[in-house]
Amino acid sequence: AQSVTQLGSHVSVSEGALVLLRCNYSSSVPPYLFWYVQYPNQGLQLLLKYTTGATLVKGINGFEAEFKKSETSFHLTKPSAHMSDAAEYFCAVSQLFKAAGNKLTFGGGTRVLVKP
Amino acid sequence: DTEVTQTPKHLVMGMTNKKSLKCEQHMGHRAMYWYKQKAKKPPELMFVYSYEKLSINESVPSRFSPECPNSSLLNLHLHALQPEDSALYLCASSQSSLSGGLSTQYFGPGTRLTVL
């Protein structure tokens, strides 16, 4: 079974500082990996995804993530935090069920607090 | 357009009530999902519909009854719920495919359900 572990349930960064959110996965097959962001009282918004190809993936709002197979990691970064980045971030791995759609397994989430 | 809409935004119901949550997408996706998200937790998969047929049921109690009238609509019928069922209910959709890149799930804003 596939699983995802997010290190750190809370991260506090200063505005303008680097944002680094850690995600490690466990998968017996090449994984499809996703980062989603959830603002308070809202649904999940896709930030970026890795399926195949380039291991450095760029997403929306200045975020990017690097797939490292040797480390089974998919960490999310943003060079300079903005107040609007305060939210909950979820890393997820996708498992296909033949033609039945796919099942997302989420990590526990990391809440980001941005200090002025 | 990657929009999934959900109605209502908020719902308060008693334990003897019958209510329904609605979800709609117009992206031509053939897989649709219901998730349940408790406070400060990641979403948990409840049901998957593929080509209007229920393909995955994650052992959800029968007081939750999903329905997929057509490829654009997904309902969740609620009956005799318990206070512990209070949560954010999220709908998502994706292209039903064997290709992981097309398995990206797009989420709606959710329905905040409170059971009294």
Side-chain angles (χ1 to χ4, degrees):
Chain A
Q2 296 174 318
S3 65
V4 172
T5 301
Q6 290 183 240
L7 298 178
S9 59
H10 292 80
V11 168
S12 181
V13 298
S14 298
E15 192 174 17
L18 171 72
V19 179
L20 171 60
L21 306 182
R22 300 179 186 276
C23 172
N24 288 90
Y25 68 90
S26 172
S27 175
S28 58
V29 298
Y32 303 120
L33 295 161
F34 304 82
W35 275 101
Y36 286 89
V37 61
Q38 186 175 32
Y39 299 99
N41 299 312
Q42 294 189 25
L44 276 68
Q45 181 181 7
L46 179 69
L47 277 177
L48 50 79
K49 63 184 179 183
Y50 170 78
T51 54
T52 58
T55 56
L56 183 62
V57 181
K58 294 187 183 299
I60 63 171
N61 302 338
F63 284 94
E64 63 181 34
E66 186 172 11
F67 171 67
K68 292 187 176 181
K69 185 178 179 180
S70 62
E71 300 178 6
T72 61
S73 69
F74 190 55
H75 301 332
L76 181 71
T77 60
K78 181 174 181 178
S80 177
H82 190 272
M83 296 299 292
S84 60
D85 294 326
E88 186 90 21
Y89 292 79
F90 292 99
C91 182
V93 62
S94 175
Q95 180 179 0
L96 292 177
F97 284 86
K98 298 181 181 180
N102 63 87
K103 178 177 179 177
L104 278 179
T105 300
F106 289 90
T110 298
R111 183 166 298 276
V112 172
L113 173 65
V114 182
K115 299 177 292 185
Chain B
D1 183 13
T2 56
E3 186 177 25
V4 176
T5 59
Q6 290 186 244
T7 56
K9 287 187 177 181
H10 301 274
L11 179 62
V12 179
M13 60 186 292
M15 289 189 285
T16 59
N17 292 155
K18 287 185 178 181
K19 297 287 185 182
S20 296
L21 309 184
K22 297 184 183 299
C23 174
E24 189 169 5
Q25 58 88 13
H26 294 287
M27 295 178 279
H29 290 173
R30 301 312 298 270
M32 297 186 76
Y33 311 77
W34 279 115
Y35 288 85
K36 176 182 179 179
Q37 186 180 24
K38 300 285 281 184
K40 303 185 186 303
K41 296 291 186 182
E44 296 177 339
L45 183 66
M46 300 175 72
F47 303 104
V48 180
Y49 270 83
S50 179
Y51 292 87
E52 295 98 69
K53 294 184 178 180
L54 184 64
S55 58
I56 298 175
N57 178 338
E58 293 286 273
S59 302
V60 178
S62 60
R63 57 185 183 268
F64 295 91
S65 176
E67 178 196 20
C68 191
N70 59 57
S71 60
S72 300
L73 293 174
L74 185 66
N75 299 321
L76 186 62
H77 303 297
L78 314 172
H79 175 54
L81 294 193
Q82 303 297 310
E84 57 265 29
D85 296 321
S86 298
L88 181 67
Y89 287 84
L90 295 164
C91 174
S93 71
S94 72
Q95 289 182 304
S96 184
S97 167
L98 293 176
S99 170
L102 299 178
S103 70
T104 302
Q105 291 187 29
Y106 296 93
F107 286 79
T111 293
R112 176 74 60 187
L113 174 66
T114 302
V115 182
L116 301 176

